[in-house]
Amino acid sequence: LRRTSPIRYDEDRACWDVFSYEDARNVLLNHRVFSSRRGMDVRGDSMLVMDQPKHTQMRALVNKAFTPKSIEDLAPRIANIVDDLLDQVADGTEMNVVHDLAYPLPVIVIAELLGVPSEDRALFKKWSDILVKAPENNTDEAFAQVVAERGIARTTLNDYFRDILKQRRANPQDDLISALLQAQIDGQKLTEQELLGFCLLLLVAGNETTTNLIANAVRYLTEDMAVQERWRNTPTLTNTAIEEVLRYYPPIVAIGRIASEDTEIRGQRIAAGSQVVSWVAAANRDEAQFPDADRFVPDRTPNRHLGFGLGIHFCLGAPLARLEAQIALPKILERLGTLTFDEGTPLVPIQSTFVFGVKEYPI
Ligand code: HEM
């Protein structure tokens, strides 16, 4: 598609798709024309679906908590959690990467950062899965079912967080929720709706995605024993290799926008109000940007992949996701020895239109 129809209109989805690196990048950078106001969806009423100036104000409230410097302080705790999780792997010869490590790690970390009990993580898992799930098929019934399920999940999560907000209001702690309760924009505190939007966004945005980064990394390592050996013997490869996973097997493959005015891409007229999807997965394999794009190059530099998006909505949690992966992957490589995947095991993809990953990955 990138080569033959770099931009196309898909009638079924009533949506424009762009596949080249250049176009995908331009759509993301041009936030004035390509708005993020795609309405209330899985991400709730949060900065992810806001435009300027509100977006800038909301983001400023949490930026401080997510700078590489503040995140770096979490390294010892993250290392502890990874070690604990690996200690619990039955006999150290078999593990299900998703279930045993890639899922629990980011949930525990974000729960601690927000200040909610990490014991509730089984519930988070259930709810956040429902929020990103796509319909089983293209029928109206399947669509209606997903909408209904998401409604229930959102209500349940909102009730849950409303309760935590109440507790923190009465009894502030040293956590992100207590900080957000104090935060002000132009002298105004956040509304309950905005606070809940933050909680849901941080919980959902940071979970599924980081899980898939770690699981996709391990998946690639079992597909390429040469890279696995090289990475294990060269710990300094870790940072560039993780960026290469974000390029090659990106956890988020597509980012949606809405044209806020009539515009044009490659001579195609795009009417105001149209949906436009920036295909990260295709852009990340564009030869015009990445030499040898279909090859995994663990020390690729530069590597300007779009795995975390670009522009004003560039992933807030990127420093956290990177740190978790940078701590977890070397420990897996070191503690488990040679990693192999049984080819006979079926790979079950996560059912989603924008998340790329597998449900389980036994190694
Ligand atoms: C935004 C990917 C981890 C919080 C984004 C966007 C992408 C992305 C592609 C841009 C969406 C857009 O432009 O519409 C990822 C990936 C992750 C990851 C691949 C893991 C590997 C995290 C974590 C957190 C987080 C750990 C928080 C704890 C957010 C937030 C936004 C965002 C709040 C919205 C930022 C804004 O609208 O300004 N992420 N993310 N993400 N991400 Fe992440």
Side-chain angles (χ1 to χ4, degrees):
L1 286 165
R2 189 180 51 237
R3 218 163 297 134
T4 57
S5 52
I7 172 161
R8 66 116 191 244
Y9 186 73
D10 179 4
E11 299 279 347
D12 289 345
R13 290 155 51 240
C15 171
W16 289 94
D17 293 307
V18 302
F19 300 109
S20 74
Y21 184 87
E22 192 190 348
D23 294 344
R25 177 176 184 277
N26 287 340
V27 166
L28 295 178
L29 284 178
N30 195 351
H31 53 86
R32 207 180 44 78
V33 174
F34 299 102
S35 158
S36 286
R37 289 233 41 99
R38 27 191 192 231
M40 291 264 293
D41 62 356
V42 299
R43 290 135 288 200
D45 196 4
S46 73
M47 69 174 126
L48 187 66
V49 291
M50 284 174 191
D51 289 336
Q52 284 176 335
K54 187 75 193 264
H55 167 264
T56 318
Q57 296 174 321
M58 294 290 273
R59 181 151 174 152
L61 299 180
V62 280
N63 264 341
K64 250 198 353 241
F66 287 92
T67 59
K69 175 73 197 70
S70 342
I71 292 301
E72 195 53 44
D73 295 342
L74 304 174
R77 176 67 189 133
I78 294 172
N80 270 339
I81 300 171
V82 173
D83 278 327
D84 282 351
L85 291 168
L86 289 176
D87 286 345
Q88 287 166 37
V89 173
D91 60 359
T93 62
E94 269 179 43
M95 80 184 276
N96 179 340
V97 178
V98 177
H99 178 271
D100 298 337
L101 181 84
Y103 170 66
L105 172 65
V107 189
I108 297 171
V109 174
I110 196 70
E112 290 184 359
L113 213 76
L114 279 169
V116 304
S118 62
E119 301 84 75
D120 292 338
R121 66 182 194 237
L123 300 174
F124 293 162
K125 169 77 178 154
K126 193 173 129 202
W127 296 326
S128 60
D129 278 356
I130 294 173
L131 287 182
V132 296
K133 203 171 123 191
E136 298 273 350
N137 51 51
N138 226 344
T139 62
D140 288 347
E141 294 74 40
F143 193 77
Q145 190 187 344
V146 163
V147 170
E149 281 178 358
R150 279 186 195 164
I152 296 169
R154 197 175 306 115
T155 310
T156 315
L157 275 166
N158 277 342
D159 289 346
Y160 178 85
F161 279 114
R162 218 174 264 125
D163 208 47
I164 304 249
L165 287 170
K166 209 162 104 196
Q167 292 171 28
R168 292 297 179 280
R169 236 179 234 122
N171 192 0
Q173 306 282 320
D174 182 19
D175 59 33
L176 198 52
I177 290 186
S178 304
L180 286 173
L181 280 167
Q182 293 309 314
Q184 295 190 355
I185 294 179
D186 298 335
Q188 297 270 319
K189 290 208 168 176
L190 298 181
T191 64
E192 183 93 351
Q193 202 52 39
E194 289 167 338
L195 287 163
L196 292 172
F198 257 122
C199 294
L200 236 71
L201 175 67
L202 293 173
L203 181 65
V204 177
N207 274 340
E208 204 90 25
T209 46
T210 312
T211 300
N212 290 318
L213 171 58
I214 295 171
N216 292 354
V218 173
R219 174 175 171 189
Y220 186 77
L221 287 172
T222 62
E223 291 169 355
D224 185 340
M225 297 313 270
V227 163
Q228 185 184 139
E229 270 314 288
R230 201 173 145 209
W231 189 345
R232 181 179 291 105
N233 298 325
T234 327
T236 49
L237 265 186
T238 298
N239 293 6
T240 51
I242 285 166
E243 296 309 301
E244 186 68 340
V245 175
L246 284 157
R247 183 189 73 86
Y248 192 90
Y249 276 167
I252 301 278
V253 293
I255 302 176
R257 293 289 187 261
I258 304 276
S260 57
E261 56 186 59
D262 291 347
T263 185
E264 236 179 57
I265 302 178
R266 278 181 203 263
Q268 295 279 359
R269 284 190 42 76
I270 296 175
S274 309
Q275 285 197 68
V276 180
V277 172
S278 211
W279 281 94
V280 169
N284 276 0
R285 301 283 189 106
D286 190 338
E287 287 284 338
Q289 175 67 22
F290 303 101
D292 226 353
D294 281 332
R295 202 161 69 84
F296 187 101
V297 181
D299 52 357
R300 187 184 286 277
T301 32
N303 187 350
R304 298 194 183 91
H305 64 76
L306 302 181
F308 287 123
L310 205 65
I312 63 168
H313 292 277
F314 179 85
C315 179
L316 174 78
L320 178 58
R322 284 183 165 132
L323 184 65
E324 288 177 32
Q326 288 163 4
I327 292 173
L329 267 302
K331 281 189 187 288
I332 296 172
L333 282 165
E334 186 189 322
R335 289 191 51 178
L336 281 114
T338 306
L339 311 173
T340 54
F341 175 75
D342 178 356
E343 296 291 319
T345 315
L347 281 180
V348 183
I350 287 165
Q351 195 187 313
S352 164
T353 50
F354 60 94
V355 175
F356 174 71
V358 289
K359 283 193 177 152
E360 306 293 343
Y361 204 69
I363 55 168

